Amino acid sequence: MKLAIASLLVGSAASFTPSSFINGGVSHKVASSSALDMKYKVAVVGGGPSGACAAEIFAQEKNIDTVFFERKMNNAKPCGGAIPLCMIGEFDIPESTVDRKVRRMKLISPSNVEVDIGDTLQPNEYIGMCRREIMDKFLRDRAISYGATPIQGLVTQIDVPENHRANEEQYTIHYQEYAEGNSAGVPKDMKVDLIIGADGANSRVAKAMDAGEYNFAIAFQERIKITEDQMKFYEEMAEMYVGDDVSPDFYGWVFPKYDHVGVGTGTVVNRPAIKQYQKAIRDRAGDKIAGGKIIKVEAHPIPEHYRPRRVQGRMALVGDAAGYVTKCSGEGIYFAAKSGRMAAEAIVKLMEGGTRLPTQTEIERTYIADYDKLYGPTYTVLDILQKVFYSNNGAREAFVELCNSKYVQQVTFDSYLYKKVQGNNPLDDIKLLGETIGCLIKGYSIAKPDAEFSNPVESQKRL
């Protein structure tokens, strides 16, 4: 244990100056006056919700030295920006970070049938709409206030010792550090004892730990400045459009922000056509955004499922790097923050006040097992729903009609807002099954055929 070793060294060789020594092939720092200088160092790679929430937990353990890397501290990740109500309270997020409180939603079918959703919401319930540059900064600043050391840098490579799963040999992180106002990075490296990979779909940490590949969607969004009169329609309103014109396997959206709307779409199966689908969502929104000025164009890969491996040795993945984005809704912000917090809490507990390092097995039995138990059912249900209702226009028509049901709306909002698959009424479930079959039959009878496309290569590429 580092603290115990440090105490012995300080007691028997108090005249030593700060230096390093080698013990069993592991390099450790030695201080002349305090065992606290022997802290284990944890590096969090990535400063989004998953990384910031992990860094915050580690930083509160004073016997752990916490650093986090973020390439751009003012980063605005391409994102619809919707967060559930439970996240506000659970993560103590001030409402000042929320641009709009959405209490109404329009779901629009391929044939432009509109269903209004929101009657089941209570007066104090809403979906928060955020800009990521605002919310992420708040979370990063809070981690810093607890003692996490921020590094504005891009991690380029991680050296993984061959026996890192069996001993305490440190990892070496190579990175480019960027100074304010300077576009040229300075190459540096750092030795650390444990790494949290919170660096998104193209995770360097995942690559270093051989986490395996996963398929991904491309999410494309334009921030569009519209008139004040047009914004009045979106005061508490969001829109979701389904149809093979806006996406062959997802949906298009218009989400309100403080002075503009985010208009976007996404797809896995036909990524090369993403700009075609983006034009279609603008056309479907029509006069409601007509004449608007595009102030920002954003695109980003979104994981479609878990990584094959989320822990290797003393490296663990969270957020998008781990694949924690739900099907059907495409939601990832809450699950990023939650996974970062859960991983850090489990690891801090395993480290017993910074006196030991956890093993891969221990991390898997705590963080991974707990996360999967808590949210596995949610991922499974939403995966099934996407396969059933986003597969063709007939199913999409049925999906929109089903959402007329107040029971469907109640269950959907309760599950989304509070992040639990809600216990339903068995009698209503049986009734819903019959309604689903009826809606599918009707939907297939009225829907236009889906457009054919051939994309044998590009959309099969994996991260």
Side-chain angles (χ1 to χ4, degrees), residues 22-53:
I22 303 297
N23 180 15
V26 184
S27 177
H28 297 280
K29 293 180 180 178
V30 180
S32 61
S33 59
S34 173
L36 293 180
D37 293 329
M38 296 293 295
K39 294 177 182 178
Y40 285 115
K41 177 170 282 190
V42 172
V44 178
V45 181
S50 60
C53 289

Side-chain angles (χ1 to χ4, degrees), residues 63 98 102 130 137 185 253 299 310 322 326 377 388 393 400 422 439:
N63 291 327
V98 176
V102 167
C130 301
K137 182 180 186 302
W253 64 86
R310 288 169 282 162
T326 60
V388 171
N393 283 333
V400 173
Q422 298 296 308
C439 288

Side-chain angles (χ1 to χ4, degrees), residues 45-46 50 77 197-204 206 214 300-301 303 307 317-323 463:
V45 181
S50 60
K77 179 184 174 182
D199 47 342
N202 288 301
S203 171
R204 295 278 185 177
Y214 55 17
H300 199 74
R307 290 273 189 186
L317 301 178
V318 295
D320 282 11
L463 291 176

Side-chain angles (χ1 to χ4, degrees), residues 69 86 103 154 326 338 456:
F69 294 84
C86 65
R103 295 184 170 93
L154 175 66
T326 60
K338 186 68 172 181

Side-chain angles (χ1 to χ4, degrees), residues 339-410:
S339 62
R341 175 176 284 186
M342 288 182 68
E345 287 177 339
I347 291 170
V348 166
K349 186 175 181 179
L350 291 169
M351 292 179 72
E352 298 177 0
T355 62
R356 64 183 295 271
L357 287 174
T359 66
Q360 175 176 325
T361 299
E362 288 174 329
I363 298 172
E364 290 172 337
R365 288 177 177 173
T366 52
Y367 154 52
I368 296 295
D370 291 345
Y371 188 88
D372 290 350
K373 180 179 179 181
L374 192 57
Y375 298 113
T378 298
Y379 286 97
T380 299
V381 168
L382 292 175
D383 187 13
I384 293 171
L385 288 176
Q386 181 166 14
K387 289 175 180 176
V388 171
F389 290 113
Y390 287 175
S391 57
N392 57 69
N393 283 333
R396 297 181 190 107
E397 294 283 359
F399 173 59
V400 173
E401 184 173 354
L402 275 172
C403 287
N404 257 323
S405 164
K406 293 297 186 287
Y407 177 62
V408 170
Q409 292 184 27
Q410 183 71 59

Side-chain angles (χ1 to χ4, degrees), residues 21-234:
F21 73 98
I22 303 297
N23 180 15
V26 184
S27 177
H28 297 280
K29 293 180 180 178
V30 180
S32 61
S33 59
S34 173
L36 293 180
D37 293 329
M38 296 293 295
K39 294 177 182 178
Y40 285 115
K41 177 170 282 190
V42 172
V44 178
V45 181
S50 60
C53 289
E56 174 184 335
I57 298 300
F58 284 117
Q60 292 178 71
E61 173 50 69
K62 300 307 179 185
N63 291 327
I64 295 175
D65 185 8
T66 305
V67 299
F68 74 87
F69 294 84
E70 173 57 49
R71 168 62 183 91
K72 295 176 68 178
M73 291 297 178
N74 61 348
N75 185 41
K77 179 184 174 182
C79 180
I83 61 173
L85 180 62
C86 65
M87 187 170 180
I88 303 294
E90 185 177 348
F91 289 85
D92 197 21
I93 295 175
E95 291 192 349
S96 60
T97 66
V98 176
D99 282 344
R100 301 277 178 174
K101 296 179 179 180
V102 167
R103 295 184 170 93
R104 308 292 303 177
M105 183 173 290
K106 283 187 180 292
L107 182 59
I108 299 111
S109 79
S111 60
N112 285 322
V113 173
E114 296 185 2
V115 169
D116 289 313
I117 302 173
D119 288 343
T120 63
L121 290 178
Q122 299 301 311
N124 63 333
E125 292 181 326
Y126 62 87
I127 298 171
M129 292 291 170
C130 301
R131 285 167 290 156
R132 288 290 301 274
E133 61 267 34
I134 303 298
M135 189 183 72
D136 291 11
K137 182 180 186 302
F138 167 78
L139 294 172
R140 282 194 295 267
D141 288 348
R142 188 164 66 185
I144 294 169
S145 73
Y146 281 117
T149 301
I151 296 176
Q152 184 162 307
L154 175 66
V155 172
T156 56
Q157 182 179 327
I158 299 172
D159 295 339
V160 181
E162 185 176 349
N163 295 320
H164 69 114
R165 284 173 289 188
N167 60 32
E168 294 190 359
E169 191 170 353
Q170 291 179 302
Y171 303 99
T172 302
I173 295 178
H174 302 273
Y175 62 99
Q176 295 282 328
E177 186 169 20
Y178 296 89
E180 188 74 27
N182 192 343
S183 61
V186 178
K188 294 186 177 183
D189 58 70
M190 176 187 296
K191 290 191 176 295
V192 301
D193 300 290
L194 191 144
I195 300 175
I196 299 295
D199 47 342
N202 288 301
S203 171
R204 295 278 185 177
V205 179
K207 181 179 180 180
M209 61 183 271
D210 190 24
E213 298 178 332
Y214 55 17
N215 208 359
F216 65 99
I218 285 293
F220 193 99
Q221 177 175 263
E222 294 166 325
R223 300 192 189 192
I224 301 179
K225 188 78 175 268
I226 56 180
T227 67
E228 289 186 11
D229 285 342
Q230 288 172 314
M231 279 300 300
K232 288 178 182 177
F233 174 78
Y234 293 107

